[in-house]
Amino acid sequence: MRVRPVIAGSSLSHLDCARCGQREDPDYLQTVCPECGGPLLARYELSREDLRGLPWDLPHRSCDLWRYAELLPVRDRKRRSGLGEGMTPLLRADRLGAALGLESFWIKDEGRNPTGSFKARGMAVAVTRAAELGVEALAAPSAGNAGLAMAAYAACHGLSALVAFPADIPPPYVRECRAYGAEVLVEGATIREAGQALKRHIAANPKWADAFDVSTLREPYRLEGKKTMGYEIAEQLGGVAPDVVLYPTGGGTGLIGIAKAFEEMISLSWMGETTRPRMIAVQMAGCAPVVEAMRAGASRVVPPETAQTRCWGLRVPSPFADREILRTVRDTGGEAVAVEEKELLPAARHALRTTGIDLAPEGAAALAAIPHLLRGGVIRPTDRIVLLNTASSAMYK
Amino acid sequence: MRVRPVIAGSSLSHLDCARCGQREDPDYLQTVCPECGGPLLARYELSREDLRGLPWDLPHRSCDLWRYAELLPVRDRKRRSGLGEGMTPLLRADRLGAALGLESFWIKDEGRNPTGSFKARGMAVAVTRAAELGVEALAAPSAGNAGLAMAAYAACHGLSALVAFPADIPPPYVRECRAYGAEVLVEGATIREAGQALKRHIAANPKWADAFDVSTLREPYRLEGKKTMGYEIAEQLGGVAPDVVLYPTGGGTGLIGIAKAFEEMISLSWMGETTRPRMIAVQMAGCAPVVEAMRAGASRVVPPETAQTRCWGLRVPSPFADREILRTVRDTGGEAVAVEEKELLPAARHALRTTGIDLAPEGAAALAAIPHLLRGGVIRPTDRIVLLNTASSAMYK
């Protein structure tokens, strides 16, 4: 009744370090670059003949991120499923766009992923790949959503999970992670201190000795899961890139991932060279290291002394991938901009009443940035603009 | 880059009364049968030539319920979008199935819809169709999720909304409906009393005089939105019907809708005559009117004197569509079964830990029914079984 071609194998070829270019074997469990400690990026045989025509086959595949299987690291096709992650709706928001002065405005609603955030994409791919490479236990510190996603995918794939949250974590995260069967530590003032507590706990408990660290960019594949946001935007716009992507930027993996997807699609000849969207990083005034570094023309961030914002996802004073974030923003002709706390609630309410779309504070920050960006001439009313709403507001209630 | 055929028009032909057969014009705003007060069902020109080959075209369409546009009532193609409703994942749950003694077990996760429940499907279609027919304001009493979905789709389409909840409604529902811009009444001990309060409020406020009542089955199109669960199950199983559908049954529109979808697919020649899944209604022991009526061989339910269950969605002592529910269960060779309150939590926990899937109490009830159904010989270990998880657990937290 349906034409359903067989999905071909992953085209994963090797890993290389984003900083020193060191090349590593992707079919062994890898963490960061053994030479310089930089993040390892997955590389694919993008010249493989069958990949050129893959867009013709995509419609026949499942409505989740595994439709891009050839461009993901998981080799065993029987493992390519999870909780229905990805292929989130790209919602045209005409009335909201018009109210802001935009002609072509879409919101990609990542809150519709399993566990309510885009973190599900990264964990779906990283946990599946780790299981494929023999991992039986996972560990990571988290500010919230990543820990929740790790716990859910560990349950989905039958792995053990250990998550460490800082002391000010909202209690529902702890409860829900435990309900998935994860072991939860709550310790430390920041995610960094939670990470130190995690290391001590692992050292003291032989049970966790072999736990694999799935912290963001400390292994190569969460980035691969997140890059599928870029593939989906292109597919959902009918093979055309937007002019601008507005991305609320904390750790920055999503922003780097979307840009990586567009680079890959250009290499695959799915798109022309001129189709890179300008990546715009949105941060909170209380924690805006990327905005400061852009202003200073620096290639590294200087962590602010205090990092204060109720947007937990954007409370990342010292992103591990600062160099890659800054390079991506600059290389794509993008910009970084900060908004004030007091702008969040009116933006979220405006969106809810005029679109019915539930923005997390992070998504509301990106929305609040639009008037600033228009005034500054960074975006134009005629630009085709995609805003990433990285989570639902559920955990903020 | 992609073959993208034009979606043809709706094949909606008329409405007919489920009880007396009275025929009505579908292009005027309709409520219930003017002759007997029964529910009006949407009928389509299922013999239309182009519909026969529609399964070949479905893969090229958007990942939401509007992919079935020809079999939905909305005529204006520009209106066929919303918040990304439908095309929820059908998740194969092998380990959980094996633990229960089932060989082929899937969970359709309706909690992944906008506003977290399958109610979004019904409201997406009913509100869009109402707007198409000139409605500017909506009203309905609700036990929770339907009101939330109505408020969200009213915001999405720029309509006003008035919702009435009973007094014991959890406060988040009230807060969230108001955030979408809806007016909210909280009054009465039951949804029936809330409905009476709603009528008084409308009578006293000229602003709401023209509000359209979108109560379940009091207008023809919420059922049409919910039937898409049936189309999706068939499509996601590759054009094959499951043997059994386990459906947590309160008002029963979802159960009737899924069965209607399979009838339509048989009429469309998309499937053979023998492919009707057995529809199994799951209720709570504290409120099991359908189970009692099945046991008594009755064609109507007798409302229990008290209706006690923490499954709000299943606290429907007197479903408006009792005759249609009972006929559907009998005609498909199905059954009705009740589970105890104490079975819910262990079932939800078991699912969470072995699958990572977040079941609402309603979904947990359907899961808890499986051992009873196996013991009773109602389902067999070799049956292909689809369980509907009608909502996420978010509003229960």
Side-chain angles (χ1 to χ4, degrees), chain A residues 1-4 55-56 59-60 63 67 82-85 87 89 91 95 112-114 152 155-158 176 178-181 235-239 269-271 349 352-358 397, chain B residues 1-4 55-56 59-60 63 67 82-85 87 89 91 95 112-114 152 155-158 176 178-181 235-239 269-271 349 352-358 397:
Chain A
M1 189 165 277
R2 246 170 85 181
V3 182
R4 193 138 50 158
W56 294 77
H60 299 278
C63 287
R67 65 202 278 117
L83 297 169
E85 47 283 342
M87 218 53 191
L91 302 168
R95 281 186 301 132
R112 298 283 301 288
N113 276 300
C156 176
H157 295 289
E176 293 194 23
R178 287 188 176 139
Y180 283 115
E235 183 176 355
Q236 290 171 319
L237 291 179
S269 299
W270 293 6
M271 296 193 148
R349 296 202 140 210
L352 206 62
R353 289 182 177 232
T354 54
T355 66
I357 304 169
D358 172 36
K397 281 167 186 162
Chain B
M1 189 166 274
R2 244 169 88 180
V3 183
R4 194 143 41 161
W56 295 79
H60 299 280
C63 286
R67 65 204 276 115
L83 297 168
E85 46 283 342
M87 218 53 192
L91 302 167
R95 282 186 300 130
R112 299 283 301 289
N113 276 301
C156 176
H157 295 290
E176 293 193 24
R178 289 188 175 140
Y180 283 116
E235 182 175 355
Q236 289 171 321
L237 291 178
S269 299
W270 293 6
M271 298 195 145
R349 298 200 140 210
L352 206 63
R353 287 181 177 233
T354 55
T355 66
I357 303 170
D358 171 36
K397 280 165 188 162

Side-chain angles (χ1 to χ4, degrees), chain A residues 250-372:
Chain A
T253 327
L255 179 135
I256 299 165
I258 291 173
K260 182 173 191 279
F262 279 94
E263 290 304 322
E264 289 177 0
M265 286 187 275
I266 291 168
S267 295
L268 287 158
S269 299
W270 293 6
M271 296 193 148
E273 280 290 338
T274 57
T275 53
R276 282 176 189 85
R278 310 198 298 277
M279 300 298 300
I280 298 187
V282 180
Q283 301 200 300
M284 298 304 302
C287 181
V290 172
V291 177
E292 295 301 327
M294 282 296 291
R295 205 169 283 163
S299 63
R300 301 292 311 263
V301 305
V302 178
E305 282 186 25
T306 59
Q308 283 178 327
T309 168
R310 74 175 208 90
C311 261
W312 309 315
L314 303 184
R315 204 175 54 181
V316 185
S318 183
F320 177 64
D322 59 343
R323 284 168 271 202
E324 291 73 24
I325 294 168
L326 290 162
R327 192 166 58 226
T328 299
V329 170
R330 290 195 178 104
D331 285 357
T332 62
E335 185 51 279
V337 60
V339 302
E340 303 286 338
E341 298 290 313
K342 66 173 189 287
E343 298 181 88
L344 296 183
L345 194 59
R349 296 202 140 210
H350 186 202
L352 206 62
R353 289 182 177 232
T354 54
T355 66
I357 304 169
D358 172 36
L359 299 186
E362 292 81 1
L367 186 64
I370 290 174
H372 302 292

Side-chain angles (χ1 to χ4, degrees), chain B residues 106-355:
Chain B
W106 290 265
I107 296 176
K108 185 144 175 83
D109 191 3
E110 290 295 299
R112 299 283 301 289
N113 276 301
T115 69
S117 85
F118 79 117
K119 300 282 185 185
R121 294 181 186 268
M123 286 296 178
V125 173
V127 174
T128 305
R129 179 64 174 155
E132 179 171 66
L133 294 175
V135 166
E136 291 176 359
L138 306 165
S142 165
N145 285 331
L148 193 60
M150 179 180 74
Y153 284 97
C156 176
H157 295 290
L159 276 61
S160 310
L162 172 64
V163 56
F165 290 124
D168 64 349
I169 187 76
Y173 281 110
V174 177
R175 233 174 15 239
E176 293 193 24
C177 283
R178 289 188 175 140
Y180 283 116
E183 188 174 326
V184 181
L185 304 177
V186 179
E187 196 174 330
T190 63
I191 185 173
R192 178 191 292 256
E193 289 180 26
Q196 290 159 350
L198 182 74
K199 285 207 180 95
R200 286 193 300 273
H201 188 82
I202 290 172
N205 290 277
K207 175 191 170 192
W208 293 108
D210 292 326
F212 184 63
D213 182 354
V214 287
S215 303
T216 186
L217 289 174
R218 303 300 173 111
E219 62 72 51
Y221 302 122
R222 279 175 67 182
L223 176 66
E224 296 306 292
K226 291 180 182 173
K227 85 178 178 190
T228 56
M229 289 187 281
Y231 281 98
E232 290 177 17
I233 289 168
E235 182 175 355
Q236 289 171 321
L237 291 178
V240 179
D243 298 308
V244 170
V245 171
L246 291 177
Y247 200 87
T249 303
T253 327
L255 179 135
I256 299 166
I258 292 172
K260 183 175 192 278
F262 279 95
E263 290 305 320
E264 288 176 357
M265 286 187 276
I266 291 168
S267 296
L268 288 159
S269 299
W270 293 6
M271 298 195 145
E273 279 289 339
T274 58
T275 51
R276 284 177 188 82
R278 307 198 300 278
M279 299 299 300
I280 297 185
V282 180
Q283 301 201 299
M284 298 304 301
C287 182
V290 172
V291 177
E292 295 302 328
M294 284 296 291
R295 205 169 285 161
S299 63
R300 299 292 310 264
V301 305
V302 177
E305 280 183 29
T306 59
Q308 283 177 328
T309 170
R310 73 175 207 92
C311 262
W312 310 313
L314 302 185
R315 203 174 54 179
V316 184
S318 182
F320 176 63
D322 59 344
R323 285 169 270 203
E324 292 72 27
I325 294 168
L326 290 162
R327 193 167 56 225
T328 298
V329 170
R330 291 196 177 103
D331 286 356
T332 62
E335 185 52 279
V337 62
V339 302
E340 303 285 338
E341 298 290 313
K342 66 172 190 286
E343 297 182 87
L344 297 183
L345 195 58
R349 298 200 140 210
H350 187 203
L352 206 63
R353 287 181 177 233
T354 55
T355 66

Side-chain angles (χ1 to χ4, degrees), chain A residues 105-120:
Chain A
F105 182 49
W106 289 266
I107 296 176
K108 184 142 175 85
D109 191 4
E110 290 294 299
R112 298 283 301 288
N113 276 300
T115 70
S117 83
F118 79 117
K119 299 282 184 184

